[in-house]
């Protein structure tokens, strides 16, 4: 049956391109929007929901729009309100599940809902004490990540024990110790009548699956579902979504397999790529017109992903004024690379660019330290996104305190390298990096950056002089203002965009990272670089350096650069 939309509803379709308009008009049944970077996916799904409300197909209080971050949910909510779609529930998976848990728990279980664990690492520290394990904060944080991965992957502790043999655990933990610690964590959590965020999803799914009257109420409340960033859904979130839907198929998913960068946390693009197999009657639409970036930047992104599963063929719509072709440059070392980037950014700002329209992106947090110093020296104001400033990191503060103490007692004639390495070894630094990702690796990188500064200090530098230099570096870090260049890791840059993007550290060992050894891990690194490239609107600068701070081992340019430069 065809329904003639009122003029106000038709106005919602004005300004959409052909693919976006088709997406907005396809209101019922399973729909999959394969939406590439910069193709206006948020515009498409918000106009789709608003059009459904305006035409009377969607009662607004029967629609649930789901995403993965509070910021993204807030953006969806704001856009929908601006389009007149008031009353639509826009939430993260966890927020939606927690609301249902709070409502149903007293009726199903009785009593109040367990309190939510505010810090897994803190509870894990207590659990470790109960089984006489002494672990540092970084190991506890990585173990918290393992717990999250286990639960969203829907593995029991026994199943995890088998899977853990092929996972990169913190060096301080064997599989047996990791399993014992998780058991102690669960026991302590239950004794304290607490639940973590993954428990919220598990408990909500369990109640819907076990109690017919709960599932009936949930399905009566929400009939139409939209899931943004569907490539990031985990097995547990997918199961909960299926329980919310029941036998209905009014589901619209939106995603881009090329932007799956959270596989380490349990995300899987297979739910997106297999959508049409699960729903043979599904409408599958492709949004491939890129409105963000120049043709040259779009082609760079396409070259990187060509031939990969689920990769879209982006097409640039227009060439923004003031744009230029992407460049690739090599530098002798990290410090030289940082200085070159800072000089180029200062020139851009002097030519009229707004600092907030510029970003420098890198693979791991510790790479920001050299950039902070170079930008400070160049008089460029910057702000860090999604990371703690180098000298404010806990391990760096601890090392600074110990180095200050040692500078008072250490003989002036002792070589600086030995003095600093002795201090850093006492808090866990080793010459070889740990073969693992996560907080343990981040901690090592931060301590190694201090070691590298000692290695590159002028000959004859005493420990006291070295510490004075560190204090001077620390004091030079003034607080950023709103009008500032952004420094961010590639992970924290997802969902954002800037006129100028500098991608630094594109060397083997950093991109891809050293612990990415399997084909699947290398593919994740590729997708991470793709996310970085597609953040740029007008200008993209890619760079690498032949050596790191204080390191004699030479690096090679990233294998991905060869693909990007290949015509």
């Amino acid at each position: 049956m065809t329904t003639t939309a009122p003029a106000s509803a038709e106005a919602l379709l004005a300004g959409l391109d052909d693919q976006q308009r088709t997406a907005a008009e396809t209101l019922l049944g399973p729909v999959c929007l394969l939406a590439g970077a910069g193709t206006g996916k948020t515009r498409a799904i918000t106009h789709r929901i608003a059009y459904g409300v305006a035409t009377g197909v969607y009662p607004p209080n029967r629609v649930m729009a789901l995403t993965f971050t509070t910021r993204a949910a807030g953006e969806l909510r704001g856009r929908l309100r601006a389009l007149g779609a008031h009353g639509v529930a826009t939430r993260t998976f966890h927020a939606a599940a927690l609301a249902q848990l709070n409502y149903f728990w007293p009726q199903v279980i009785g009593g109040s809902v367990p309190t939510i664990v505010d810090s897994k690492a803190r509870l894990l520290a207590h659990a470790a004490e109960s089984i006489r394990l002494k672990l540092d904060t970084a190991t506890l944080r990585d173990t918290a990540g393992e717990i999250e991965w286990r639960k969203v992957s829907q593995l029991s502790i026994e199943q995890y024990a088998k899977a853990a043999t092929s996972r990169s655990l913190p060096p301080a933990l064997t599989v047996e110790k990791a399993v014992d610690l998780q058991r102690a964590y669960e026991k302590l959590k239950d004794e304290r009548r607490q639940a973590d965020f993954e428990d919220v999803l598990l408990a909500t799914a369990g109640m819907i699956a076990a109690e017919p009257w709960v599932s009936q109420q949930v399905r009566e409340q929400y009939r139409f579902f939209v899931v943004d960033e569907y490539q990031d859904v985990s097995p547990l979130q997918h199961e909960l979504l299926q329980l919310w839907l029941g036998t209905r198929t009014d589901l619209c998913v939106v995603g881009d397999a090329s932007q799956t960068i959270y596989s380490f946390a349990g995300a899987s693009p297979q739910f997106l790529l297999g959508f049409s197999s699960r729903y043979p009657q599904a409408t599958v639409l492709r949004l491939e017109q890129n409105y963000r970036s120049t043709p040259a930047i779009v082609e760079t992104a396409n070259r990187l992903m060509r031939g990969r599963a689920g990769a879209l063929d982006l097409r640039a719509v227009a060439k923004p004024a003031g744009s230029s072709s992407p460049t690739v440059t090599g530098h002798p070392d990290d410090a030289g690379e940082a200085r070159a980037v800072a000089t180029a950014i200062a020139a851009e700002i002097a030519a009229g660019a707004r600092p907030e329209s510029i970003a420098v992106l890198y693979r791991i947090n510790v790479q920001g330290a050299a950039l902070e110093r170079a930008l400070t020296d160049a008089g460029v104001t910057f702000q860090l996104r999604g990371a703690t400033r180098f000298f404010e990191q806990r391990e760096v503060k601890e090392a600074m305190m110990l180095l200050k103490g040692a500078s008072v007692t250490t003989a002036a004639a002792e070589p600086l390298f030995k003095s600093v390495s002795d201090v850093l070894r006492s808090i866990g630094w080793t010459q070889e990096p740990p073969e693992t990702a996560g907080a343990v690796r981040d901690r090592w990188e931060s301590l190694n950056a201090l070691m590298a500064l000692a290695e590159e200090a002028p000959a004859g530098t005493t420990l006291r002089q070295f510490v004075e230099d560190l204090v001077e570096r620390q004091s030079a870090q003034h607080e950023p203002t709103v009008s500032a260049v952004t420094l961010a890791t590639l992970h924290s840059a997802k969902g954002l965009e800037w006129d100028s993007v500098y991608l630094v550290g594109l060397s083997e060992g950093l991109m891809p990272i050293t612990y990415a050894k399997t084909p699947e891990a290398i593919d994740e690194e590729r997708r991470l670089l793709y996310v970085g490239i597609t953040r740029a609107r007008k200008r993209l600068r890619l760079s690498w350096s032949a050596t790191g701070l204080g390191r004699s081992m030479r690096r090679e340019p990233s294998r991905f650069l060869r693909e990007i430069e290949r015509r």
Side-chain angles (χ1 to χ4, degrees), residues 240-459:
L240 182 57
L241 178 63
Q242 297 306 305
L243 288 166
W244 282 336
L245 279 164
T247 59
R248 296 193 304 265
T249 60
D250 287 320
L251 168 66
C252 174
V253 300
V254 189
D256 179 7
S258 295
Q259 295 190 68
T260 306
I261 59 173
Y262 295 107
S263 294
F264 64 88
S268 172
Q270 296 310 312
F271 297 115
L272 175 68
L273 297 176
F275 191 83
S276 57
S277 297
R278 200 160 46 254
Y279 298 102
Q281 74 278 32
T283 301
V284 180
L285 303 170
R286 301 166 76 91
L287 303 185
E288 296 179 306
Q289 293 196 150
N290 180 285
Y291 295 92
R292 176 186 300 158
S293 307
T294 66
I297 292 172
V298 167
E299 179 54 28
T300 299
N302 283 340
R303 279 199 295 271
L304 181 65
M305 298 307 298
R306 194 155 286 147
R308 302 289 154 175
L312 299 169
D313 186 19
L314 299 180
R315 299 183 297 277
V317 174
K319 185 173 183 179
S323 60
S324 60
S325 297
T327 61
V328 178
T329 56
H331 302 274
D333 53 41
D334 288 350
E337 181 182 20
R339 286 193 297 270
V341 168
T343 299
I345 289 174
E348 277 200 63
I349 295 171
R354 293 174 295 112
E356 61 268 27
S357 70
I358 302 171
V360 188
L361 308 180
Y362 38 83
R363 178 62 178 86
I364 53 177
N365 286 325
V366 74
Q367 291 174 270
L371 292 159
E372 290 177 37
R373 177 64 183 268
L375 289 170
T376 298
D377 290 346
V380 175
T381 303
F382 60 89
Q383 60 181 345
L384 286 168
R385 180 179 182 86
T388 305
R389 296 171 74 97
F390 180 75
F391 283 103
E392 293 173 2
Q393 294 172 24
R394 179 171 179 167
E395 57 268 23
V396 175
K397 285 183 176 181
E398 181 183 8
M400 289 273 288
M401 179 184 68
L402 294 174
L403 287 168
K404 286 178 183 177
S407 70
V408 177
T409 59
T410 300
E414 184 171 280
L416 179 64
F417 177 88
K418 182 179 185 308
S419 301
V420 176
S421 65
D422 284 349
V423 169
L424 298 185
R425 286 178 194 278
S426 73
I427 55 174
W429 178 79
T430 57
Q431 283 192 309
E432 295 301 321
E435 289 291 327
T436 183
V440 167
R441 177 63 181 240
D442 291 344
R443 175 184 170 85
W444 182 89
E445 292 284 359
S446 296
L447 295 178
N448 197 60
L450 291 174
M451 192 66 247
L453 290 174
E455 290 181 26
E456 68 170 7

Side-chain angles (χ1 to χ4, degrees), residues 6 45 50 112-113 159 165 185 241 270 418 424 434 505 523 559:
I45 60 175
S112 59
V113 176
Q159 291 170 323
T165 57
Y185 166 85
L241 178 63
Q270 296 310 312
K418 182 179 185 308
L424 298 185
D523 280 346
R559 68 194 73 180

